Amino acid sequence: MTATVIDDLPAFVTDDWTYLLMPRSMHALRVPTARRAEAPWRPVLDRHRLLATGRFHQTQPPAWGVSLVVSHLCNMSCVYCFSEVGHSQATLPLQRMLAMVDHALERKPATLNQPFSVNFFGGEPTLNMPEVKAVVEYVKKRCAEEGVSYLLRMVTNGTAPREDMQYVVDNGFQLTVSMDAAPARQQSQRIYGTRHNVSDTIETIRFLAANSAEFRVRSTITGETVEYMDETVRFFADLGVRFLHFEPVGPSGTTTAGRLRRYSSPSPEIYATNLIKAMDAARGTGLAVFGYAFQHLLTDPLSYCGPMNGEGNYFVLNATGDLIMCPELQDPKRNKEYNHNVGKVGNDRKVFVDLKRRSEIGAEAMPLQNVSCQSCYARDICKSGCPSRNIQATGSLTKLDPYSCSIAKVVCADILGRLARATFDGVEASDEAVLRPIVLPSELCSPPFIGAGATVLKKAKLLLALSGEDIDNAVDQQLHRLSTHLVGIPG
């Protein structure tokens, strides 16, 4: 079994079958490997207009909204913390956050097909719940005035009091809860303060699951926990978690230089192997796995999240009052070094944005510019990796982080095989090229941008309808799954 590129499309080849996969158009095509030299797929793809420019392009709508790094304060002391600001006391005044909301709302995309997004980040944002609640109520009021919908998100460690989590649930937040593993391993690397312990986070997860909240758990993997990823899947599945995001510890943070070896990043080979084992363990549990290596599955690979896409519709406001390019890159010294401070919000509520510098960074970070990506089967899924990780690891937005790239090549090959097997499971053998809507295996998901995946799938369904072809029940089943099972799509 081999992952490769055929006719500018990612492909998965076995002794019997060759599968061409088009993640953006949500289609896959199967031909007998013995007929591969004849390229029998070309007339089929051409008939369905799936080779318009070599690859089928669906454009992801520009991000619209704001990420607010409410504060650098945190009530935990994780041994691998991504933040390089340590226990900085920086906290955003409410008026700066409201000014940023107004500024972002005024920059509504010309083609509006997504809600106004407000993401609360930290530090630990629930340590400033009065300010968070004030922003939420202001967003409700302003969006009603503008006649637009809104989407609220938050990243939290799950230690907030129940009344605060009740507010979050009542207001329909999409949540990311940071918890790495079962209690013993969790407490060895996520150090709780004197007022909290791991049971607080577990009870929050149970509460969210019981209230059908939209949430996922984020598990950061170190050398200490990498061998237990499949165990971690079973632990969270038993808690009622439906979406689990695995991520290896990042290349930066307050403890980078002094990390104990076991809390550093595991080798890419060991991490990839155990992520694949975790996906296998998730099958049939009701939990779906998401990972950095395939976070762009089913989405447009020609744009990044937030300001990194170069658009002027999304903003990240640091706790210092500076506008930055990524909420995970908060250190003022590092942003100055990269020249990634792109504006400022003052206490007088005046907002300055350096649109020229934002556009320059977006153009430099454009996906798939790296020559080595052009012939890689993983490119439509990993899309040259995360630019923030690239620059932290290599000093360049476009020079690939070799660690992440090594993981992506192993994991994306496995993902292509999973998509091929799920899509053609039960499909009768044929000497002809067979085109099918991609079936997403139950153990996989891509929650951050799953709305784009559903949009692409609907367009793919329309494409088949216009061609006069019969639409398989799998399309409707897949649309239903995307609309009711995955995070971010209203039922």
Side-chain angles (χ1 to χ4, degrees):
M1 297 181 289
T2 306
T4 186
V5 174
I6 299 175
D7 268 6
D8 207 29
L9 292 169
F12 188 76
V13 182
T14 69
D15 291 340
D16 296 322
W17 303 106
T18 293
Y19 305 92
L20 276 69
L21 293 111
M22 294 149 278
R24 279 171 284 167
S25 67
M26 281 297 293
H27 277 77
L29 189 145
R30 186 192 71 186
V31 298
T33 297
R35 293 192 60 201
R36 178 175 160 182
E38 304 170 32
W41 53 80
R42 288 177 184 166
V44 179
L45 297 182
D46 185 59
R47 183 165 73 250
H48 291 287
R49 293 175 289 167
L50 295 176
L51 279 180
T53 58
R55 283 179 290 159
F56 184 85
H57 285 191
Q58 287 286 0
T59 302
Q60 185 174 312
W64 179 41
V66 59
S67 281
L68 301 170
V69 181
V70 178
S71 175
H72 289 161
L73 292 171
C74 186
N75 55 356
M76 295 179 68
S77 299
C78 301
V79 296
Y80 53 72
C81 183
F82 74 87
S83 176
E84 294 178 305
V85 294
H87 290 282
S88 159
Q89 301 295 305
T91 299
L92 274 174
L94 175 61
Q95 291 305 312
R96 289 191 185 187
M97 291 192 278
L98 301 185
M100 194 70 254
V101 167
D102 283 336
H103 185 86
L105 266 172
E106 291 168 2
R107 278 139 188 87
K108 183 165 54 178
T111 303
L112 181 61
N113 54 3
Q114 81 271 34
F116 180 70
S117 174
V118 181
N119 182 25
F120 296 94
F121 208 82
E124 173 51 42
T126 62
L127 295 179
N128 297 81
M129 277 305 288
E131 289 79 10
V132 168
K133 291 178 181 180
V135 172
V136 169
E137 299 308 315
Y138 188 73
V139 167
K140 291 180 185 178
K141 172 178 172 291
R142 291 287 288 110
C143 286
E145 292 170 353
E146 297 292 328
V148 298
S149 59
Y150 60 87
L151 175 63
L152 303 172
R153 292 189 172 109
M154 180 184 286
V155 179
T156 175
N157 60 31
T159 60
R162 179 55 49 83
E163 58 267 26
D164 288 339
M165 295 313 299
Q166 186 67 61
Y167 178 86
V168 165
V169 169
D170 290 345
N171 281 278
F173 274 71
Q174 289 183 0
L175 287 169
T176 296
V177 181
S178 298
M179 183 174 176
D180 297 341
R185 278 176 265 283
Q186 166 80 355
Q187 293 183 118
S188 73
Q189 56 188 40
R190 284 189 179 267
I191 312 302
Y192 289 78
T194 56
R195 296 180 58 192
H196 300 284
N197 58 54
V198 66
S199 63
D200 295 323
T201 305
I202 291 174
E203 288 308 308
T204 289
I205 290 173
R206 287 197 174 113
F207 171 75
L208 295 174
N211 284 272
S212 301
E214 292 188 359
F215 76 100
R216 57 174 166 151
V217 169
R218 154 71 184 256
S219 171
T220 300
I221 299 301
T222 66
E224 178 83 352
T225 56
V226 66
E227 301 285 354
Y228 304 99
M229 291 171 70
D230 54 347
E231 173 193 287
T232 299
V233 165
R234 290 186 285 271
F235 171 75
F236 283 121
D238 288 344
L239 288 180
V241 174
R242 294 192 304 165
F243 307 101
L244 178 56
H245 174 182
F246 283 118
E247 197 82 23
V249 65
S252 66
T254 55
T255 58
T256 302
R259 280 180 189 152
L260 294 173
R261 184 178 182 85
R262 68 177 188 264
Y263 296 128
S264 297
S265 303
S267 75
E269 296 79 14
I270 291 175
Y271 176 80
T273 297
N274 282 280
L275 178 57
I276 290 169
K277 285 172 60 179
M279 289 188 283
D280 291 338
R283 193 178 296 124
T285 64
L287 178 149
V289 171
F290 162 71
Y292 164 74
F294 58 97
Q295 65 178 328
H296 304 296
L297 186 64
L298 313 184
T299 71
D300 174 23
L302 299 181
S303 62
Y304 285 120
C305 60
M308 283 293 184
N309 65 13
E311 301 283 348
N313 309 105
Y314 199 92
F315 304 88
V316 179
L317 181 60
N318 201 359
T320 58
D322 297 309
L323 289 172
I324 56 179
M325 295 300 290
C326 175
E328 291 196 8
L329 200 55
Q330 300 176 9
D331 180 25
K333 293 180 180 178
R334 188 68 74 97
N335 277 299
K336 184 177 181 180
E337 175 188 344
Y338 299 149
N339 195 14
H340 277 196
N341 284 323
V342 292
K344 187 86 175 176
V345 180
N347 285 327
D348 57 0
R349 294 192 56 153
K350 289 184 178 178
V351 179
F352 164 72
V353 183
D354 188 343
L355 292 175
K356 181 176 181 292
R357 180 57 189 150
R358 275 175 55 112
S359 297
E360 290 172 349
I361 295 171
E364 185 182 352
M366 183 65 67
L368 308 181
Q369 290 190 102
N370 193 291
V371 175
S372 64
C373 296
Q374 300 304 312
S375 58
C376 180
Y377 54 82
R379 66 185 179 192
D380 284 348
I381 300 175
C382 89
K383 70 179 183 187
S384 301
C386 168
S388 286
R389 285 211 169 206
N390 287 343
I391 198 168
Q392 290 177 77
T394 70
S396 168
L397 289 169
T398 55
K399 186 176 180 181
L400 301 183
D401 169 16
Y403 178 83
S404 299
C405 185
S406 297
I407 292 172
K409 286 182 176 179
V410 175
V411 174
C412 289
D414 180 80
I415 295 294
L416 292 174
R418 288 175 192 269
L419 292 175
R421 288 188 293 271
T423 299
F424 291 95
D425 181 39
V427 176
E428 187 176 339
S430 170
D431 288 336
E432 302 302 318
V434 178
L435 182 70
R436 310 290 285 181
I438 285 178
V439 174
L440 191 68
S442 63
E443 68 270 21
L444 300 183
C445 70
S446 182
F449 308 109
I450 203 64
T455 299
V456 169
L457 184 55
K458 291 173 183 176
K459 291 180 180 177
K461 181 174 179 178
L462 176 61
L463 197 64
L464 280 177
L466 291 174
S467 70
E469 295 284 331
D470 290 335
I471 301 173
D472 192 86
N473 287 336
V475 181
D476 289 317
Q477 292 169 4
Q478 194 69 338
L479 277 170
H480 178 73
R481 182 169 186 267
L482 283 167
S483 65
T484 60
H485 179 60
L486 295 180
V487 172
I489 307 295

